[in-house]
Amino acid sequence: MSDETAPQGEKLQKVLARTGLGSRREMERAIEAGRVTVNGKVAELGERVTGDEHIELDGRRLPAAEENRCRVIVYNKPVGEICSRHDPEGRPTVYDRLPKLRSGRWISVGRLDFNTSGLLLFTNSGELANRLMHPSSVIDREYLVRIQGQVTDEMKKHLLEGVLLEDGVARFTDIVESGGEGNNRWFYCVVMEGRNREVRRLWESQGVRVSRLKRVRYGSVFIPSNVRVGQWIEMEPKEIDDLCVTAGMPKLGQRPLTQAERQNLQRQRRKLRKPPARRKPSKG
């Protein structure tokens, strides 16, 4: 196909998903429902845009391309926070400490349960989040786990070969012992999927108990040593490009940070040297 006949721009649902307003499938449904307009006309599914158009979703204009920079945050989640935006029980959520966005929303790349701490990634790009979580991306997640009970070589062999859980066969791709005493031993273990409570369920299938669980790595991303529990740090554009490669996407090649954006990033990193603010105890 020649350049003259090649389709121009990107599909509208892809552009919408990248703003963080929802997944690509959710944006497809919004287009089909007539909730999206392009230059004042109701959009059609599969329509292509270049980014110069006036695009609205439910009557609200999308930010201009220069405002819609892909952002990624590395968060060190403490035990006792849930990975939901709102909790009927009033418990703290992982979104409480994140910076506010002018447009779009933060999307969590996977989840950690209430009693699990460690690395969580957030992005305002629906496309990047979906690619990082999709099984086809084959991205490993590494955890540090403390086990109560005797762990034998035979148990580790079973866990590496595969164990049948209620939602199918699961396994660790690596298990490395990391010290401890008696029946309380630490292990680093790696999974390639993001199933609900997968690490806990794998160990429990062998008759032992997980007493501590922390995610320490997601693909090539580690928690920086200066980011304490309850703190976050924002990735630089080059680091985001590297993350895109991990997710099987082309590098975004984003514009350099403006002076104001650079100052905000430096200001936030200086705050990491201070201890995180204590939460006020809930009333009642």
Side-chain angles (χ1 to χ4, degrees), residues 215-230:
R215 183 155 68 192
V216 296
R217 179 171 62 87
Y218 196 103
S220 59
V221 180
F222 292 83
I223 301 173
S225 59
N226 61 326
V227 179
R228 292 188 290 269
V229 172

Side-chain angles (χ1 to χ4, degrees), residues 109-247:
V109 178
R111 291 169 174 258
L112 295 176
D113 66 37
F114 186 75
N115 293 315
T116 300
S117 64
L119 188 152
L120 260 181
L121 295 176
F122 293 88
T123 178
N124 63 340
S125 168
E127 181 182 12
L128 178 57
N130 289 333
R131 292 292 289 270
L132 286 169
M133 291 184 285
H134 200 277
S136 64
S137 297
V138 194
I139 299 175
D140 50 356
R141 293 93 157 152
E142 185 172 5
Y143 293 80
L144 177 61
V145 55
R146 185 173 69 187
I147 299 297
Q148 287 186 341
Q150 189 65 35
V151 176
T152 66
D153 290 340
E154 188 68 18
M155 289 164 55
K156 288 188 283 186
K157 179 181 178 183
H158 288 319
L159 290 169
L160 291 169
E161 291 178 344
V163 175
L164 180 60
L165 304 177
E166 55 266 34
D167 53 354
V169 176
R171 70 185 187 93
F172 292 127
T173 58
D174 194 21
I175 302 173
V176 177
E177 189 165 352
S178 183
E181 296 179 354
N183 283 342
N184 287 280
R185 311 292 295 180
W186 290 92
F187 295 88
Y188 284 98
C189 50
V190 178
V191 292
M192 304 298 290
E193 298 177 287
R195 299 193 213 175
N196 184 39
R197 301 184 73 253
E198 183 178 11
V199 174
R200 293 183 186 274
R201 290 187 293 138
L202 274 167
W203 283 108
E204 289 167 0
S205 73
Q206 303 303 300
V208 294
R209 177 177 174 270
V210 173
S211 60
R212 290 280 299 277
L213 183 60
K214 178 179 181 179
R215 183 155 68 192
V216 296
R217 179 171 62 87
Y218 196 103
S220 59
V221 180
F222 292 83
I223 301 173
S225 59
N226 61 326
V227 179
R228 292 188 290 269
V229 172
Q231 294 185 326
W232 55 267
I233 191 169
E234 186 162 351
M235 283 188 170
E236 301 264 8
K238 182 183 181 303
E239 295 172 320
I240 296 174
D241 275 345
D242 293 340
L243 187 62
C244 287
V245 172
T246 297

Side-chain angles (χ1 to χ4, degrees), residues 4-149:
E4 294 181 357
T5 58
Q8 300 296 308
E10 294 182 284
K11 288 186 177 180
L12 178 58
Q13 58 266 33
K14 183 177 180 180
V15 173
L16 289 167
R18 195 161 57 234
T19 67
L21 294 170
S23 68
R24 195 179 303 189
R25 186 64 56 84
E26 289 171 332
M27 294 301 97
E28 288 174 354
R29 289 196 290 265
I31 295 170
E32 290 175 331
R35 296 165 52 201
V36 182
T37 61
V38 178
N39 294 332
K41 296 182 179 180
V42 177
E44 297 181 357
L45 189 61
E47 184 172 341
R48 289 180 176 268
V49 293
T50 62
D52 296 325
E53 297 85 356
H54 182 112
I55 303 172
E56 292 186 355
L57 172 64
D58 295 331
R60 295 184 60 184
R61 184 173 183 178
L62 265 65
E66 62 271 16
E67 299 172 357
N68 190 30
R69 180 171 60 87
C70 177
R71 298 173 65 185
V72 179
I73 274 179
V74 179
Y75 180 56
N76 191 350
K77 175 192 176 297
V79 170
E81 289 183 352
I82 63 170
C83 290
S84 297
R85 296 182 187 277
H86 305 286
D87 180 48
E89 300 178 27
R91 293 173 296 181
T93 85
V94 293
Y95 294 93
D96 291 343
R97 301 183 198 259
L98 301 187
K100 303 299 181 184
L101 289 171
R102 291 184 179 178
S103 62
R105 61 177 181 172
W106 290 117
I107 304 167
S108 173
V109 178
R111 291 169 174 258
L112 295 176
D113 66 37
F114 186 75
N115 293 315
T116 300
S117 64
L119 188 152
L120 260 181
L121 295 176
F122 293 88
T123 178
N124 63 340
S125 168
E127 181 182 12
L128 178 57
N130 289 333
R131 292 292 289 270
L132 286 169
M133 291 184 285
H134 200 277
S136 64
S137 297
V138 194
I139 299 175
D140 50 356
R141 293 93 157 152
E142 185 172 5
Y143 293 80
L144 177 61
V145 55
R146 185 173 69 187
I147 299 297
Q148 287 186 341

